[in-house]
Amino acid sequence: MDLRIFTEPQQGATYDTLLTVAKATEDLGFDAFFRSDHYLRMGAADGLPGPTDAWITLAGLARETKRIRLGTLMTAGTFRLPGVLAIQVAQVDQMSGGRVELGLGAGWFEEEHKAYGIPFPKEKIGRLEEQLAIVTGLWATEAGKTFDFHGKFYDLTDSPALPKPAQAKVPVLIGGHGATRTPRLAGQYADEFNMPFASLEDTERQFGRVRAAAEAAGRGADALTYSNALVACVGKDDAEVARRAAVIGREVEELKANGLAGSPAEVAEKIGRYAEAGAQRIYLQILDLDDLDHLELISSQVQSQLS
């Protein structure tokens, strides 16, 4: 079971804070550092000092880390043109020596689009499908050949399809709860399917849909990695769990019901249940980015049990 660290910098984090967490992620033996792609805080957080851009952040971290994978859960398809995104991701992949992964979603948070003047189209899934075809098509085009795409939303003619990533194949992540179109897109394009903030029952049901879609696409269900993203709140004892829950504005019982909360033994046991539901990888949503002791505890007392 891979454990990855997943951050939400729009809630309030500088690049330096993210760099500190990414370096701790690497030093403590976690598999990867991922971040969200949002420009506006959510809930009661003040969001100060303001948002950081996902791919600019990852470019910096690519030069400051050596081992961990780097990526997004999820890049918003509404934020970037697919041709530009293909260039950005390929460049960061080169900068990292081939450690980048692209989580790509349709985009959903209308308020952040209004706040920063970003168009929020009504038809998002159709755009996402074309974006996936374009980004993967540009990377797969042989050097010296050109790429064309003529869709409803995007039109590319005689693209040199450059630059290329360092990796022969940048892993593409697709995720979500949708019962039909999401599994179909994952079955066709994804190297990994991520189920965010879901129960064991919903996870098992959605993994089944994606596995069936991958079979229907002729790829085979095991062509994909299956993962969950879950909030983490781990403590050596009840008092420490309660303190960490209070800092992020959550109740312990709610976190235990909907995430990974409690003692290291409790959290390892629940991760085991997600593994039984089909999860091969867990993204630990870490909401207090100043609490590096939290990461150390998870590394030493949860990750060690899983390995």
Side-chain angles (χ1 to χ4, degrees), residues 17-306:
T17 297
L18 296 173
L19 175 59
T20 298
V21 174
K23 286 186 172 181
T25 297
E26 186 158 83
D27 292 342
L28 292 170
F30 293 104
D31 183 60
F33 174 94
F34 272 57
R35 59 157 293 163
S36 60
D37 188 16
H38 286 294
Y39 292 137
L40 193 67
R41 64 161 178 81
M42 302 169 195
D46 60 24
L48 295 175
T52 50
D53 181 84
W55 286 101
I56 291 176
T57 298
L58 294 175
L61 298 180
R63 307 302 288 179
E64 298 279 358
T65 58
K66 295 180 174 62
R67 177 188 60 79
I68 51 174
R69 308 289 295 176
L70 300 166
T72 50
L73 284 181
M74 300 283 187
T75 289
T78 48
F79 287 177
R80 298 166 181 87
L81 296 170
V84 174
L85 181 62
I87 293 170
Q88 290 173 317
V89 177
Q91 183 177 1
V92 178
D93 195 51
Q94 292 173 0
M95 293 168 71
S96 72
R99 293 183 285 122
V100 159
E101 303 184 11
L102 170 63
L104 184 59
W108 61 272
F109 190 18
E110 187 172 6
E111 287 81 0
E112 70 186 334
H113 294 74
K114 291 178 179 177
Y116 287 97
I118 303 167
F120 189 70
K122 182 177 180 180
E123 175 52 68
K124 293 182 286 296
I125 296 296
R127 289 176 182 271
L128 175 61
E129 184 164 7
E130 291 192 10
Q131 291 160 354
L132 288 163
I134 291 166
V135 170
T136 58
L138 287 167
W139 291 337
T141 299
E142 293 181 25
K145 296 187 177 180
T146 59
F147 176 80
D148 290 80
F149 183 90
H150 307 292
K152 179 180 178 182
F153 304 103
Y154 302 102
D155 197 283
L156 286 74
T157 300
D158 292 335
S159 172
L162 297 171
K164 300 300 185 192
Q167 297 174 88
K169 176 73 172 68
V170 172
V172 172
L173 289 72
I174 296 173
H177 295 252
T180 55
R181 291 185 292 181
T182 296
R184 179 178 61 80
L185 290 180
Q188 183 174 357
Y189 290 105
D191 300 286
E192 179 177 336
F193 179 78
N194 179 263
M195 189 60 169
F197 313 113
S199 68
L200 288 159
E201 295 76 17
D202 288 345
T203 292
E204 191 166 17
R205 185 180 305 113
Q206 187 72 331
F207 284 174
R209 292 180 182 130
V210 174
R211 294 179 70 87
E215 293 282 2
R219 301 177 61 203
D222 293 336
L224 283 73
T225 297
Y226 298 86
S227 63
N228 285 88
L230 294 159
V231 62
C233 181
V234 189
K236 295 189 297 291
D237 51 37
D238 290 346
E240 190 167 80
V241 175
R243 177 180 64 77
R244 288 196 164 113
V247 169
I248 62 175
R250 303 278 284 270
E251 298 293 330
V252 171
E253 291 310 310
E254 179 269 322
L255 287 168
K256 286 188 176 184
N258 299 311
L260 299 172
S263 68
E266 288 178 285
V267 169
E269 188 275 335
K270 191 165 185 182
I271 289 174
R273 284 189 275 152
Y274 274 94
E276 291 173 1
Q280 300 161 287
R281 180 174 289 157
I282 300 290
Y283 292 81
L284 302 169
Q285 185 195 45
I286 302 297
L287 295 177
D288 182 2
L289 299 181
D290 295 318
D291 186 0
L292 298 183
D293 289 341
H294 192 198
L295 297 185
E296 196 283 328
L297 178 67
I298 296 169
S299 172
S300 64
Q301 298 192 35
V302 177
Q303 186 167 238
S304 59
Q305 293 186 58
L306 300 174

